[in-house]
Amino acid sequence: MPSDFNAQRRAQLLIERVADYAIYMLNPDGTVASWNAGARRFKGYAEHEILGQHFSRFYTEQERAAGMPALALKTALETGRFEAEGWRVRKDGTRFWASVVIDPIYDDVGDLFGFAKITRDITDKKLARDALRRTEEQFRLLIESVVDYAIYMLSPEGVVTTWNAGARKIKGYTAEEIVGSHFSCFYTEEDRRNGLPAQILARARTDGRAEAEGRRVRKDGSTFRASVVIDAIHDPDGKLVGFAKITRDITERAQLEDAREALQHAQRLEAVGKLTGGVAHDFNNILQVIGGSLQLLSGTVAGIPAAQRYLSMALTAVDRGGKLAAQLLAFARRQPLQPVVLNAGRVVRGLEDLVQRAVGETVEVETAVSASLWNTLVDPHQLENVVLNLAINARDAMPDGGKLTIELSNTMLDDSYVSAAHEVPPGQYVLLAISDTGTGMVPEVLARAVEPFFTTKGEGQGTGLGLSMAFGFVKQSGGHFRIYSEVGHGTTIKAYFPRTLESEQLLPEPNAGEARGGTETILVVEDDPNVQATVVGMLGDLGYHVLRADNAEMALAVLRAGVRCDLLFTDVVMPGPVKSTELARQAKMLLPSLKVLYTSGYTQNAIIHGGRLDPGVELLSKPYRREKLASKVRQILGGQAAQAPARAPKPPRAAQAPEQGKRVLLIEDDAQARELYRDILQAAGYGVAEAPSAAEALDMLARERIDVAVVDYSLPDLDGLSLARRIAAAHPGVALVFASGYGSLVAGATDLAVRVLTKPFTDLQLKEAVLAAVASR
C-alpha cells in the first residue's frame, strides 16, 4: 500500500507541475474535480475559483447554446475518447484555440469515476495554419487570375489535375474539358509519335526541372510557339506527387525574332548582291573585250585548223565566264528580265528531254502539270535556266540514282502563311515544285543554301551559284522561294510566281543562222576603250558604217553636227552628267527615226524598274558574241540583212623548235584545259601523257617514264598537294609544276620542290615553267 500511495503521489505531483497543459479531472456530471498549474496558467482560474464549477464555462456562449459540452462527454462515454479543436474562454473573457482530449475514467468495478481532460493552447499554430491557408487561397486565386500564362498541375503520370484562366485562354479548353486528360494532347502528332511528352517528363523527374520551346496545339487544332517550364513536386518524404507546368505563348516573340533574323539575312544578301553586281559589271566588260577580240581574229585564222580549234576553246571559256557573271547578276537581282505572259507548264514540258539528258539515265524524271494552270508573267529563258539548274543540283544529290519530280500547280498564299513569310503578299500564285529523293541537307547547310559561292561539293565540282541564281530570279520576278529538306529524305524547292489574268503571249521562234550585217550607220557610245574597239570592229566586219563616242556629251555633239545615224548603240552605265537614258531622249529629239539599243554587264536601275526592262527598251547584255550582236542589230533596224563580209586569212605562224625526248604528264580534270596544255607542250617538242584524276596519274607514273608532272590543285579524287607529296615520295626523279587558280594554297608547301603557275597563264609561262622543272632534274 505505501508503494502504491507513493506512486500515486508522484503522478499527482507530476501532473501538478506540468505548466504547458491544462490537466484536470471532471466529476461524472462535468464539474471540475482537480486543477493543475497548466490549467491555472492559461485558463486564468485559481483552484478555489473553479473546483466544483461545471467545465462548460470554458466554452463559448454559442457552443454552450448548441449543447457542445454535453456532446463532448457523451462522445467520450460512447467511443472511449473525445478529441476536438475549438475556441475556449479564459476567466478574463479572452479566447484561445484549444486542442482538447477527454477520456472517461472507471473504478475497479467498472463504474464511471469521472473524466480526465487535457487542454492545450495551440492558438499560435491555429493562426499559422490560417495564414498558410489564406496564402494558399490567395496564391490559388492569383494563379487563377493570370491570363498570360497557362499554369496547371499534372499528376506523376502526366494527367492534368488543375487548370487556370491563362490555360483556358492560351489552349482553349475549359477545366471541365481537360482535367483528367493527359497533357500529351497539347503536342503535335509528330512530337507525340517521337515520344516528346514522355521525354520532357522524364527530364523533369530526373533533373527537377525541364525547359523547352516548340510547337503546341490548341483545342481548335491551331498551333502556337510555346515556352514551357515543368517542375517536379515532391512531398516532405521526397516522394514525387506531381508536376507544376507553366506554358507561355511566345508566337509573337518568335515571329519578331524570325523577322529580325530574316532582315539581317536579307541585308547580308543585299550587301553581297551589290558586291557581286559590281564585280559582274567589270567582269562582263573584260569578257566582252576578250570575246570580241577573239571573234575579230576568226577571219585571220581561217584555213588554220589548230588556230581555229584554240579560238573555239577560248570562246567557249568566254561563254562559261558570261554564264557565271549572269548567275551573279541573277542572285543580285540585277539581271535584265524580259518577262512575258505565259503558261509555265508549256515551258517546262518543252524541257523534259533536256532535263532527262542533264540528269542521266539513273534518275527517273516525272513531270506533273495542272490541267488548268494559271498564267504568270515571267522571263521564259530565265525560267528554263532555273529548272535546269535545280534539276542538275538534284542529280548531284542522288549519286546512286533516284527520282526527280517537277510539278506545276495553282496555289493560294493566305494571310496566315504570309505572316510568317516576309516580303510576300497574299494572293494567287503559280507554284513550281522540284523534288528529289537525294541525301537532303542538314539544318546548317539549309540555312546557307542560297548564299552565293556556298557549296558542299568538292573543289571544281560546282560554283555554289545554282540556288543563288534561282533565289534571285524568283525574288526579282515578284515571287517567293522556299527550300524544304531532311537528311536522308531528299529536298523540295518551291518557287511561287504571281498569277496574271492576262492572256498568254506566243513566244518568238529562236533566230538561227549565220550572222547578217548591213550598211546602216551606227553610233557606238562606250567609255571603255577596249570594249569600244572590239564592238566597233565587229560592227565594221558586219558591213556597217560605224561612228564612235566616248561619252554622252560627245555623242550628242556628233548628232548635232548633222550626221545621219540609224542606230544609237550605248552602254547603260555612262560617266559624266548626261546619263544614257537622257542621251537617248535627246538623240531621238534630234533624229525621231533613230533606233536605240542599250548594252551593259550591269544595268542598275537606269532602264530596269521592278526587276524588268522598261517598256520599249531593247538591251543586249554583255558579253555577247558577234552572231548575237548581228541578230539584235538587224532585229531593231529591220529590213533585209546582208551576209557578213569574209575576212582574209593570216598566214600560219612558224613552228617553234622542239624540246627533244622529255615527257610531261598533264594531271587535269578539265578536258579543254588538258587539250590546250597538250598542244602547247607538243608544239614545244615534249612528249605528253594525260590523266584526268589522281588515281590514273599514279597508275601512269608506275608504268611509264615521266620527267615532269603538271598537277592541277583541284582533282575529283584527291587534292593536288596530297598527290604531289605522293609523287615526290614514290618518284623523286619527277619534277613538279602546279597549275592552279589557288597558288596561295600551295605556296606554303616548303617540303616540296614545286613551281606554281597561277591561272590564267600564257603559253610562254607554261613552257618556261616546264623547261625550268626539266632543268632542275
Side-chain angles (χ1 to χ4, degrees):
M1 284 297 292
S3 61
D4 290 341
F5 175 79
N6 291 336
Q8 291 176 2
R9 181 59 180 163
R10 282 196 298 270
Q12 184 179 0
L13 290 173
L14 177 61
I15 291 171
E16 171 61 29
R17 297 292 187 271
V18 173
D20 293 330
Y21 292 83
I23 304 174
Y24 51 99
M25 291 291 295
L26 300 178
N27 293 316
D29 62 355
T31 56
V32 178
S34 68
W35 199 244
N36 80 328
R40 290 194 296 274
R41 187 177 70 83
F42 61 80
K43 288 185 180 285
Y45 293 96
E47 190 173 13
H48 69 276
E49 292 177 304
I50 200 63
L51 291 177
Q53 301 294 319
H54 199 274
F55 85 107
S56 60
R57 71 187 307 160
F58 306 139
Y59 283 73
T60 64
E61 184 177 348
Q62 292 82 358
E63 289 176 327
R64 288 197 298 271
M68 291 298 295
L71 180 61
L73 296 184
K74 179 182 178 184
T75 302
L77 287 173
E78 292 177 350
T79 65
R81 170 167 283 196
F82 170 79
E83 293 184 73
E85 289 185 9
W87 290 109
R88 297 293 182 267
V89 183
R90 296 187 178 94
K91 175 185 175 181
D92 61 5
T94 60
R95 300 195 304 174
F96 66 97
W97 189 262
S99 170
V100 177
V101 177
I102 301 176
D103 290 306
I105 306 298
Y106 298 93
D107 60 16
D108 293 340
V109 296
D111 293 332
L112 179 66
F113 182 73
F115 298 92
K117 189 169 186 291
I118 301 175
T119 302
R120 185 160 54 100
D121 184 350
I122 59 170
T123 304
D124 291 342
K125 291 184 179 181
K126 161 70 173 173
L127 295 175
R129 285 203 306 264
D130 289 348
L132 178 61
R133 189 176 296 110
R134 285 195 302 272
T135 300
E136 289 174 343
E137 179 63 16
Q138 290 169 353
F139 185 65
R140 186 189 66 79
L141 293 173
L142 175 63
I143 289 175
E144 174 61 26
S145 64
V146 172
V147 294
D148 293 329
Y149 291 79
I151 304 174
Y152 52 99
M153 295 290 294
L154 304 177
S155 72
E157 297 74 31
V159 173
V160 179
T161 58
T162 65
W163 199 243
N164 82 324
R168 290 195 298 273
K169 173 189 173 185
I170 292 173
K171 295 181 183 289
Y173 295 94
T174 65
E176 293 75 19
E177 291 174 319
I178 201 64
V179 170
S181 300
H182 197 273
F183 86 111
S184 59
C185 65
F186 308 136
Y187 285 71
T188 65
E189 183 178 348
E190 181 181 0
D191 285 344
R192 290 197 300 271
R193 195 165 54 246
N194 294 332
L196 189 59
Q199 292 171 18
I200 197 170
L201 278 193
R203 193 160 72 247
R205 190 179 292 111
T206 303
D207 301 337
R209 166 170 284 196
E211 299 183 51
E213 287 189 8
R215 305 300 301 179
R216 297 295 183 267
V217 183
R218 296 187 177 93
K219 176 185 174 182
D220 62 7
S222 62
T223 62
F224 65 99
R225 185 80 180 175
S227 171
V228 176
V229 177
I230 300 180
D231 286 304
I233 307 298
H234 299 85
D235 65 13
D237 297 327
K239 180 183 177 183
L240 179 70
V241 296
F243 300 93
K245 191 168 187 291
I246 301 176
T247 300
R248 185 160 53 104
D249 185 347
I250 59 169
T251 303
E252 290 186 3
R253 189 195 77 185
Q255 289 176 343
L256 181 62
E257 291 174 353
D258 289 345
R260 187 181 296 113
E261 184 178 342
L263 176 61
Q264 291 172 347
H265 188 248
Q267 289 172 336
R268 286 198 304 271
L269 294 182
E270 181 67 21
V272 175
K274 289 180 179 178
L275 174 63
T276 55
V279 169
H281 171 251
D282 293 337
F283 189 39
N284 279 331
N285 270 346
I286 294 169
L287 290 173
Q288 185 58 50
V289 173
I290 296 171
S293 299
L294 290 169
Q295 290 178 84
L296 290 171
L297 281 172
S298 61
T300 66
V301 298
I304 308 175
Q308 289 178 326
R309 187 169 74 254
Y310 301 147
L311 192 66
S312 176
M313 289 165 57
L315 287 172
T316 299
V318 170
D319 288 343
R320 287 171 59 187
K323 288 178 181 177
L324 176 63
Q327 288 177 321
L328 289 171
L329 288 173
F331 166 73
R333 307 185 205 178
R334 298 292 191 273
Q335 60 180 337
L337 298 182
Q338 299 186 43
V340 296
V341 178
L342 54 78
N343 183 297
R346 272 185 257 283
V347 176
V348 172
R349 287 287 190 196
L351 289 174
E352 286 180 323
D353 291 341
L354 186 57
V355 168
Q356 185 65 73
R357 288 198 300 272
V359 299
E361 296 179 355
T362 61
V363 176
E364 177 190 353
V365 179
E366 180 180 335
T367 304
V369 179
S370 172
S372 55
L373 191 68
W374 295 328
N375 289 338
T376 185
L377 184 65
V378 71
D379 187 314
H381 303 299
Q382 296 302 330
L383 178 61
E384 290 174 350
N385 286 340
V386 164
V387 172
L388 284 172
N389 271 285
L390 296 181
I392 291 169
N393 273 2
R395 175 203 65 190
D396 294 342
M398 299 182 287
D400 300 321
K403 185 175 182 179
L404 173 68
T405 304
I406 304 175
E407 300 174 87
L408 278 159
S409 60
N410 303 324
T411 191
M412 283 284 299
L413 297 183
D414 56 20
D415 292 331
S416 62
Y417 178 89
V418 302
S419 64
H422 311 287
E423 302 179 2
V424 185
Q428 297 176 323
Y429 288 80
V430 174
L431 170 61
L432 167 65
I434 298 181
S435 306
D436 64 63
T437 57
T439 54
M441 304 182 212
V442 297
E444 295 77 12
V445 171
L446 183 60
R448 300 186 59 191
V450 300
E451 293 183 10
F453 302 112
F454 175 75
T455 179
T456 57
K457 299 175 183 177
E459 292 286 349
Q461 298 178 26
T463 62
L465 286 171
L467 281 174
S468 304
M469 182 208 69
F471 169 79
F473 166 66
V474 173
K475 299 296 285 185
Q476 190 177 346
S477 300
H480 178 48
F481 189 85
R482 290 293 298 272
I483 305 176
Y484 304 87
S485 189
E486 186 177 349
V487 175
H489 295 278
T491 299
T492 295
I493 295 173
K494 293 186 175 182
Y496 299 80
F497 298 98
R499 179 192 184 184
T500 180
L501 299 178
E502 297 180 39
S503 300
E504 184 179 9
Q505 297 173 241
L506 293 177
L507 299 179
E509 293 293 327
N511 185 15
E514 295 184 56
R516 301 280 174 170
T519 58
E520 292 93 341
T521 300
I522 301 175
L523 174 57
V524 174
V525 188
E526 171 62 64
D527 63 300
D528 187 311
N530 293 321
V531 175
Q532 185 189 94
T534 56
V535 69
V536 168
M538 285 193 287
L539 289 171
D541 280 356
L542 290 167
Y544 294 104
H545 178 54
V546 185
L547 306 173
R548 66 180 75 193
D550 298 337
N551 52 50
E553 293 92 331
M554 186 181 296
L556 289 172
V558 170
L559 295 175
R560 289 183 183 123
V563 175
R564 189 186 183 289
C565 188
D566 300 289
L567 174 68
L568 174 67
F569 186 33
T570 177
D571 190 42
V572 173
V573 183
M574 295 294 295
V578 181
K579 302 306 178 187
S580 58
T581 50
E582 178 61 18
L583 164 63
R585 188 188 68 80
Q586 293 189 34
K588 287 184 74 65
M589 289 179 64
L590 294 169
L591 293 173
S593 62
L594 182 70
K595 302 291 194 299
V596 179
L597 173 60
Y598 291 96
T599 182
S600 182
Y602 177 58
T603 57
Q604 293 183 326
N605 294 318
I607 58 173
I608 287 185
H609 296 88
R612 298 165 187 172
L613 281 175
D614 293 341
V617 169
E618 296 287 351
L619 175 71
L620 182 62
S621 295
K622 297 176 183 175
Y624 48 81
R625 285 204 179 194
R626 180 170 174 263
E627 294 78 8
K628 185 68 175 177
L629 172 64
S631 173
K632 192 70 175 178
V633 169
R634 283 265 44 99
Q635 171 200 327
I636 294 173
L637 289 175
Q640 295 297 318
Q643 187 168 351
R647 299 181 63 113
K650 289 187 177 179
R653 293 177 298 174
Q656 298 179 1
E659 179 73 24
Q660 299 294 335
K662 301 300 182 181
R663 285 184 56 75
V664 180
L665 174 60
L666 296 174
I667 310 171
E668 166 69 65
D669 61 331
D670 188 296
Q672 280 195 339
R674 281 202 317 273
E675 182 181 0
L676 180 62
Y677 303 160
R678 181 195 65 207
D679 289 350
I680 292 171
L681 293 174
Q682 283 180 340
Y686 294 101
V688 180
E690 301 176 49
S693 67
E696 292 180 59
L698 291 171
D699 181 63
M700 197 170 295
L701 284 163
R703 293 186 287 103
E704 302 181 21
R705 178 183 66 80
I706 299 294
D707 297 291
V708 181
V710 179
V711 184
D712 186 61
Y713 183 79
S714 300
L715 294 170
D717 53 347
L718 187 67
D719 69 89
L721 190 57
S722 298
L723 174 60
R725 288 199 171 98
R726 290 193 187 183
I727 294 173
H731 307 281
V734 177
L736 294 171
V737 176
F738 265 103
S740 174
Y742 299 92
S744 59
L745 294 176
V746 296
T750 55
D751 58 322
L752 291 173
V754 61
R755 284 166 177 77
V756 178
L757 276 172
T758 302
K759 296 178 180 178
F761 49 79
T762 66
D763 58 343
L764 180 61
Q765 289 173 325
L766 174 61
K767 287 185 287 187
E768 287 178 345
V770 172
L771 183 61
V774 169
S776 69
R777 297 303 183 201

